[in-house]
Amino acid sequence: MTVVLLTSITVGLQPLFLSNMTTPALLPLSGRRIPTLSPGASSFPHHRATLRLSEKFILLLILSAFITLCFGAFFFLPDNSKHKRFDLGLEDVLIPHIDSPKEGKHASGQVVIHGQGGHDENRHREEEESLRDKIRADHERALQEAKEKLRKSREELQAEIQTEKTKVVEDLKKKDPGPKPLPPPPEPDVKEKRDKIREMMKHAWDSYRQYGWGHNELKPIAKKGHSTNIFGNSQLGASIVDALDTLFIMGLQDEFKDGQEWIEQNLDFSANAEVSVFEVNIRFIGGLLAAYYLSGQEVFKMKAVALAEKLIPAFNTPTGIPWAMVNLKTGVGRNWGWASAGSSILAEFGTLHMEFVHLTYLTGNPVYYQKVMHIRKLLAKMDRPNGLYPNYLNPRTGRWGQHHTSVGGLGDSFYEYLLKAWLMSDKTDVEARKAYDDAIEAIERHLIRKSNGGLTFIGEWKNGHLERKMGHLACFAGGMLALGADGSPDDKAGHYLQLGTGEGPLILKLGPEAFKFDSGLEAVAVRQNEKYYILRPEVIETYWYMWRFTHDPKYRQWGWEAAQAIDRFCRVSGGFSGVKDVYSSNPTYDDVQQSFFLAETLKYLYLLFSNDDLLPLETWVFNTEAHPLPVLHLGNITLPGSEPSQR
Ligand code: DMJ
């Protein structure tokens, strides 16, 4: 027993000792702080103030032999005084306690060895003999282990240390799982609701399969294919790629296989088409990566990488801030004509991080990681008016365009990706977390208000003036604030969770594209061109996150009302269509089944009526198009292209 403990202490010391060498800034030796260094093999420097690996082991061996000797000697002492020295409650741990009759503790003549009775001098001697044998055997084993360790390469040792560290972290997590929402209340018809959503997905998919197959989207009234300028004049099957993971999650296997086959045979990125870098990234790269992670089918990864190569030329600008659009064939990029002074858009160039980090992780090619980290660094250096990020940035000059700030369109997913960069790095990317916290603080100070009727809303900042108008796009922010509550500074978790649940437009049931809180108006769309609903997911997205964090039945209730409203007002025989006026009881259709309806709206609804263990938030982070990507447990692995200061 003694030696078992000794061995485990010795072995247990080694990882600590070695990890001290790989991350030397953590534990100073000789009272001096050793500078942080990259774990790259070639950059391992000599600090003669410290000891070499082999020297440390030799010292360790000597120490272990010495301690073993002491313990051995201890057992060879002639009298029983040693037992008394351990009478501190530790004896049962260290050695079997053998009572002597002289001590008179057991006048009945019983010898207590771990609760066993009977005193026997011979037996006592045998016990000691066998202990000595054990000491020798264990000591030899310890020596052998130490020798083996010395024979191992530095990489093998590092891998062992990492495994050890991960185990410790996992054990700690098990011990302290953190606050959990209350278990969901029993809901007898939850399966029926989930099945209904699955049926809606099937109707949307089957209609697209029948009338729009291979086109980007579907015109459900005209019953033919549809596309918009975000996909150029290409036929990239956007709805297929966007829908894949939803089909997979819902167990629609035949449909998934159909989609996979089309992708294998037809998805090609050589068209002379000018596409939106942002849209193609979130829908295609995000969709393909999620399909790859869920199904393990290599084809999805290969297509994602092939497409990413086509987007890289968009970063050829004087600042490295990418153009909004790039021609897939020629690689020529440009910005939207309507954007302020030829600017790139915050929500577009700021919504590449998740997918690009995964691309580097999967391929080992540093270029993707470097591109997005360059954007982050550039933004970090810029002045921000009132701490807010304007929506426009000129990629030629590196200057802000108009000082408009929004958590809705043009800004939204930039903030979302700051938070998600932190989450997907297993919360190690603290730089991203800090940027998120700072941004949210400024947003709360300048943009979040309560209406006269007590509704919480997020307005838009326009040249020093708050416009009391909120877009449907900004409604995702309820979920984002709740998702970011854990880990927020100054213990504001409760506050942000509360803000996420804020009564009102953050959680409208189904509403118009934009609505005002002005002149006595409470969340009402005024202009005709703001009254439409185009099957967007953002409100339902927030319901789902709030459900996951609170299990308050009202979120399922509201989600169900939204699902019913969509089924009632947006369903047509050829699929689902957006409507032009949510205030009309007999709305006209816009005749578009958006690909995000299959990727996001129906997926969030399905998850809302599923158990939490379907895509748990501890393991998966959803991109802004609701494509789940796994948390990367990078530990001390350094992504190619990254430097220590970036992580
Ligand atoms: C989706 O394409 C994404 O969620 C994006 O971030 C903005 N919103 C649309 C759907 O409304």
Side-chain angles (χ1 to χ4, degrees):
M1 274 281 232
T2 310
V3 184
V4 173
L5 182 79
L6 179 64
T7 309
S8 71
I9 289 172
T10 313
V11 173
L13 273 174
Q14 286 165 358
L16 273 180
F17 185 54
L18 288 171
S19 70
N20 185 25
M21 296 177 78
T22 54
T23 50
L26 293 178
L27 290 174
L29 287 179
S30 322
R32 283 204 303 159
R33 215 168 166 75
I34 303 168
T36 312
L37 53 91
S38 151
S42 58
S43 61
F44 194 66
H46 289 279
H47 288 286
R48 294 311 297 146
T50 67
L51 297 173
R52 282 201 187 98
L53 185 66
S54 54
E55 290 167 348
K56 287 183 178 178
F57 269 106
I58 288 165
L59 272 179
L60 197 62
L61 281 176
I62 294 169
L63 191 68
S64 117
F66 177 72
I67 295 170
T68 309
L69 216 75
C70 291
F71 270 81
F74 174 78
F75 281 99
F76 285 103
L77 285 175
D79 65 40
N80 276 350
S81 59
K82 60 199 174 201
H83 296 288
K84 286 179 202 153
R85 301 225 321 262
F86 279 93
D87 274 352
L88 295 169
L90 291 173
E91 67 273 42
D92 284 341
V93 181
L94 292 171
I95 49 171
H97 187 108
I98 304 167
D99 273 354
S100 103
K102 278 181 253 166
E103 291 171 318
K105 281 189 184 162
H106 297 276
S108 63
Q110 283 185 333
V111 175
V112 179
I113 304 175
H114 289 294
Q116 291 171 25
H119 174 243
D120 180 345
E121 202 58 45
N122 287 336
R123 197 160 155 212
H124 189 171
R125 223 171 288 127
E126 276 167 23
E127 290 277 356
E128 287 199 349
E129 193 51 47
S130 89
L131 270 175
R132 272 195 292 275
D133 288 343
K134 202 166 176 318
I135 288 167
R136 270 185 229 110
D138 283 351
H139 179 56
E140 267 163 30
R141 203 176 55 237
L143 277 174
Q144 192 54 34
E145 274 175 18
K147 273 188 208 156
E148 273 163 23
K149 283 244 184 261
L150 280 173
R151 269 201 295 274
K152 283 186 184 164
S153 71
R154 189 167 171 270
E155 284 70 30
E156 284 174 282
L157 288 170
Q158 275 186 334
E160 274 186 23
I161 293 162
Q162 187 50 39
T163 317
E164 195 74 20
K165 278 186 185 168
T166 314
K167 202 174 155 292
V168 171
V169 171
E170 287 308 322
D171 288 347
L172 279 175
K173 274 188 193 160
K174 270 182 220 150
K175 273 184 205 146
D176 180 19
K180 279 248 177 312
L182 292 171
E187 225 179 305
D189 56 353
V190 72
K191 184 178 176 318
E192 281 76 50
K193 288 175 178 163
R194 189 165 64 236
D195 287 348
K196 173 63 191 169
I197 307 299
R198 194 169 180 267
E199 183 280 324
M200 287 167 74
M201 177 70 184
K202 196 153 162 42
H203 178 60
W205 174 264
D206 288 348
S207 303
Y208 168 76
R209 177 82 183 82
Q210 190 174 355
Y211 306 118
W213 195 235
H215 291 267
N216 288 317
E217 292 176 321
L218 168 70
K219 278 183 158 300
I221 309 282
K223 298 190 172 164
K224 59 179 193 181
H226 168 80
S227 199
T228 62
N229 61 348
I230 59 174
F231 306 115
N233 56 359
S234 66
Q235 270 200 35
L236 294 169
S239 293
I240 301 176
V241 181
D242 233 3
L244 274 175
D245 54 5
T246 309
L247 295 171
F248 189 93
I249 292 159
M250 292 182 177
L252 292 166
Q253 284 158 10
D254 292 344
E255 290 78 0
F256 180 83
K257 270 199 205 122
D258 241 11
Q260 177 173 347
E261 227 172 84
W262 186 90
I263 286 170
E264 277 163 355
Q265 291 164 13
N266 302 289
L267 188 56
D268 162 86
F269 307 111
S270 58
N272 188 0
E274 205 174 42
V275 300
S276 155
V277 174
F278 157 76
E279 296 286 359
V280 161
N281 175 57
I282 65 168
R283 299 187 200 213
F284 284 78
I285 297 189
L288 289 164
L289 288 179
Y292 166 69
Y293 280 119
L294 289 168
S295 72
Q297 299 293 314
E298 285 287 318
V299 61
F300 299 128
K301 182 171 85 180
M302 280 159 50
K303 295 283 180 185
V305 175
L307 176 55
E309 284 305 304
K310 297 285 189 171
L311 299 187
I312 290 297
F315 291 82
N316 293 335
T317 64
T319 56
I321 294 290
W323 301 113
M325 284 176 283
V326 70
N327 184 303
L328 290 176
K329 188 177 176 142
T330 64
V332 174
R334 70 179 174 99
N335 275 344
W336 304 110
W338 49 262
S340 159
S343 290
S344 301
I345 310 290
L346 182 70
E348 298 197 332
F349 65 77
T351 309
L352 304 167
H353 189 97
M354 289 183 71
E355 297 79 3
F356 274 47
V357 170
H358 272 276
L359 285 167
T360 288
Y361 172 76
L362 289 173
T363 62
N365 181 352
V367 73
Y368 312 108
Y369 181 82
Q370 287 166 341
K371 296 285 179 210
V372 289
M373 288 310 287
H374 177 78
I375 297 174
R376 182 190 285 181
K377 276 188 177 165
L378 194 137
L379 287 178
K381 278 192 226 139
M382 295 187 65
D383 278 342
R384 296 194 303 278
N386 295 311
L388 296 168
Y389 289 88
N391 290 334
Y392 301 103
L393 181 61
N394 190 314
R396 293 182 201 277
T397 62
R399 294 208 191 94
W400 297 121
Q402 276 172 316
H403 283 192
H404 287 185
T405 296
S406 165
V407 181
L410 308 182
D412 48 9
S413 44
F414 163 70
Y415 305 101
E416 177 186 353
Y417 270 35
L418 290 178
L419 174 65
K420 290 182 174 176
W422 176 68
L423 289 169
M424 69 169 253
S425 72
D426 199 17
K427 304 185 179 175
T428 58
D429 187 351
V430 288
E431 194 176 74
R433 176 74 217 204
K434 169 91 173 65
Y436 170 78
D437 289 331
D438 291 349
I440 295 300
E441 200 193 308
I443 285 166
E444 198 179 354
R445 195 165 341 117
H446 298 290
L447 305 185
I448 299 186
R449 295 286 180 273
K450 259 200 194 300
S451 71
N452 295 341
L455 301 177
T456 306
F457 68 95
I458 309 182
E460 306 218 342
W461 192 256
K462 295 203 169 158
N463 296 323
H465 163 78
L466 180 74
E467 193 177 7
R468 296 170 67 88
K469 186 163 98 176
M470 182 169 177
H472 188 153
L473 284 166
C475 293
F476 87 101
M480 177 181 73
L481 290 169
L483 185 65
D486 183 24
S488 51
D490 306 326
D491 207 14
K492 283 175 99 178
H495 168 70
Y496 286 121
L497 190 61
Q498 187 56 39
L499 206 55
T501 63
E503 296 296 318
L506 287 183
I507 43 174
L508 276 180
K509 289 183 186 91
L510 202 63
E513 181 67 3
F515 32 90
K516 286 199 146 193
F517 297 86
D518 237 350
S519 327
L521 293 175
E522 288 285 324
V524 178
V526 181
R527 295 198 198 149
Q528 195 53 37
N529 65 0
E530 289 173 341
K531 293 181 180 170
Y532 61 88
Y533 171 64
I534 57 166
L535 305 171
R536 285 198 191 280
E538 285 77 9
V539 168
I540 292 163
E541 177 180 347
T542 282
Y543 292 160
W544 173 62
Y545 277 108
M546 296 314 305
W547 165 256
R548 277 278 172 105
F549 290 119
T550 66
H551 287 155
D552 186 331
K554 75 182 177 194
Y555 297 111
R556 275 191 168 169
Q557 174 58 28
W558 291 345
W560 184 237
E561 284 170 18
Q564 286 176 307
I566 291 172
D567 204 45
R568 179 164 168 215
F569 295 113
C570 304
R571 187 180 186 126
V572 292
S573 66
F576 287 88
S577 169
V579 293
K580 290 186 179 163
D581 185 349
V582 292
Y583 299 114
S584 160
S585 53
N586 193 14
T588 48
Y589 300 113
D590 70 0
D591 199 12
V592 181
Q593 179 176 285
Q594 307 274 351
S595 80
F596 54 66
F597 179 63
L598 295 92
E600 298 191 72
T601 313
L602 291 172
K603 188 186 285 140
Y604 286 130
L605 277 170
Y606 188 79
L607 289 171
L608 181 62
F609 296 105
S610 300
N611 291 339
D612 293 1
D613 57 6
L614 180 60
L615 299 173
L617 289 171
E618 293 76 29
T619 320
W620 297 91
V621 185
F622 288 70
N623 88 340
T624 193
E625 188 79 358
H627 296 306
L629 301 176
V631 170
L632 297 177
H633 298 280
L634 294 175
N636 65 354
I637 300 168
T638 308
L639 279 175
S642 68
E643 291 149 21
S645 61
Q646 292 171 331
R647 306 274 322 139

